[in-house]
């Protein structure tokens, strides 16, 4: 017999030494299962559905940036949250992506069990694949509860990751313009 997700949470509570029958925990397995399904709903999404044809013809060939996109993800090693923000940019080559789609792409990949390094790469590759841009840049800065709540317990640590593709990788000037515009370079 296969256990349902709430039943698994019930077993976890028992394994922790808790009584899942006590008043405060009666509905916890159901709520925890529902919360985990929500936190990981990126598995139910795909890039084509997210973009939904929102790629528009444009003569713009200058950098497009969306910064401070808040993100919430779960560390695949401890199932603990990491919380931060993403900054994304691309240089169009005849097509621009609907603005909200950049944030939706960030969310789709963030709402999967992740490590930040892979998340940064997945976002950059997805934007590149959809837009065929001359370059894509993604910077993520996040605080990891697995570093703050357990282990080394470093409360003020922030992890920064970046992926630079195309013009952002090849041109120091383009990369520096992006970093300056997101406030990461003087």
């Amino acid at each position: 017999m296969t256990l349902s997700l709430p039943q698994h949470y019930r077993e976890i509570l028992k394994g922790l030494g808790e009584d899942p029958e006590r008043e405060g925990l009666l509905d916890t397995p159901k709520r925890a299962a529902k919360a985990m399904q929500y936190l990981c709903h990126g598995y139910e999404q795909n890039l084509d559905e997210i973009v939904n044809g929102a790629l528009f013809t444009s003569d713009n060939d200058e950098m497009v940036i969306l910064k401070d996109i808040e993100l919430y993800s779960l560390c695949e090693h401890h199932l603990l949250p990491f919380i931060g923000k993403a900054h994304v940019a691309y240089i169009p080559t005849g097509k621009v992506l609907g603005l909200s789609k950049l944030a939706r792409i960030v969310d789709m990949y963030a709402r999967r069990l992740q490590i930040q390094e892979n998340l940064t790469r997945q976002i950059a590759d997805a934007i590149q694949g959809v837009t065929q841009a001359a370059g894509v840049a993604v910077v993520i800065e996040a605080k990891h509860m697995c570093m703050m709540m357990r282990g080394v317990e470093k409360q003020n640590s922030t992890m920064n990751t970046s992926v630079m593709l195309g013009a952002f990788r090849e041109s120091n000037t383009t990369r520096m313009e992006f970093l300056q515009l997101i406030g990461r370079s003087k």
Side-chain angles (χ1 to χ4, degrees), residues 102-126:
L102 294 170
R104 291 180 192 280
I105 289 169
V106 169
D107 283 346
M108 179 182 74
Y109 290 108
R111 294 303 188 155
R112 298 175 181 185
L113 301 178
Q114 280 289 8
I115 61 172
Q116 185 174 328
E117 299 91 334
N118 291 350
L119 174 60
T120 310
R121 170 61 68 176
Q122 290 167 351
I123 294 166
D125 288 345

Side-chain angles (χ1 to χ4, degrees), residues 6-170:
Q7 290 170 322
H8 282 289
Y9 275 103
R10 182 179 168 75
E11 292 303 312
I12 289 170
L13 290 172
K14 284 182 182 176
L16 293 171
E18 266 293 354
D19 175 9
E21 296 302 318
R22 76 174 172 85
E23 181 183 12
L25 294 177
L26 278 176
D27 290 329
T28 297
K30 184 171 51 177
R31 287 191 301 264
K34 188 175 180 179
M36 186 59 79
Q37 287 170 322
Y38 178 78
L39 294 173
C40 294
H41 74 263
Y43 291 115
E44 299 166 9
Q45 299 174 307
N46 68 59
L47 196 53
D48 289 337
E49 289 172 358
I50 293 292
V51 172
N52 194 27
L55 200 59
F56 307 104
T57 302
S58 174
D59 293 334
N60 179 41
D61 62 356
E62 297 293 329
M63 194 180 304
V64 175
I65 300 174
L66 185 59
K67 63 183 231 176
D68 296 328
I69 306 165
E70 62 271 354
L71 66 84
Y72 308 91
S73 194
L74 292 174
C75 160
E76 67 185 34
H77 299 139
H78 303 99
L79 301 183
L80 290 173
F82 63 94
I83 300 164
K85 56 188 171 181
H87 313 288
V88 300
Y90 69 100
I91 300 172
T93 56
K95 299 276 187 185
V96 292
L97 185 59
L99 187 59
S100 71
K101 304 309 180 184
L102 294 170
R104 291 180 192 280
I105 289 169
V106 169
D107 283 346
M108 179 182 74
Y109 290 108
R111 294 303 188 155
R112 298 175 181 185
L113 301 178
Q114 280 289 8
I115 61 172
Q116 185 174 328
E117 299 91 334
N118 291 350
L119 174 60
T120 310
R121 170 61 68 176
Q122 290 167 351
I123 294 166
D125 288 345
I127 294 169
Q128 177 65 47
V130 167
T131 64
Q132 299 303 302
V136 174
V138 177
V139 169
I140 295 178
E141 46 194 271
K143 293 190 169 282
H144 291 249
M145 296 303 119
C146 59
M147 283 276 294
M148 298 170 73
M149 296 175 66
R150 53 156 303 282
V152 295
E153 296 185 26
K154 298 302 177 201
Q155 305 308 307
N156 298 306
S157 61
T158 301
M159 182 176 185
N160 292 283
T161 51
S162 70
V163 170
M164 306 287 168
L165 303 176
F168 291 96
R169 187 174 192 87
E170 297 156 7

